[in-house]
Amino acid sequence: MPAQHPTPYLSLRGLPLADDYPDWLRSRLPGALVESAPAVTHYTHLADPAWFSGRLVAFDEAVVR
């Protein structure tokens, strides 16, 4: 069942996605963000830890405020 209210959700992806994935996810979790990592990998947190942690911190700060 899809959420009824915007849900803070960040999907950081390291592999190519189907073009319709972001819309599909937002249809189930309104407010969800989908972002692609700068490096194509299964391990975005290892390939570019500064980018990964920076996105988590920025998302957390945006949701908390």
Side-chain angles (χ1 to χ4, degrees):
M1 170 187 273
Q4 299 300 316
H5 303 287
T7 304
Y9 189 92
L10 177 61
S11 176
L12 299 177
R13 312 300 295 206
L15 297 175
L17 300 170
D19 291 339
D20 62 344
Y21 177 77
D23 291 333
W24 173 85
L25 182 61
R26 283 190 289 270
S27 75
R28 282 143 182 83
L29 295 170
L33 297 175
V34 178
E35 298 183 14
S36 294
V40 176
T41 177
H42 279 283
Y43 307 104
T44 57
H45 61 294
L46 298 176
D48 195 341
W51 174 83
F52 187 84
S53 60
R55 290 306 306 128
L56 292 179
V57 169
F59 181 75
D60 181 60
E61 289 174 349
V63 169
V64 171
R65 293 175 190 194

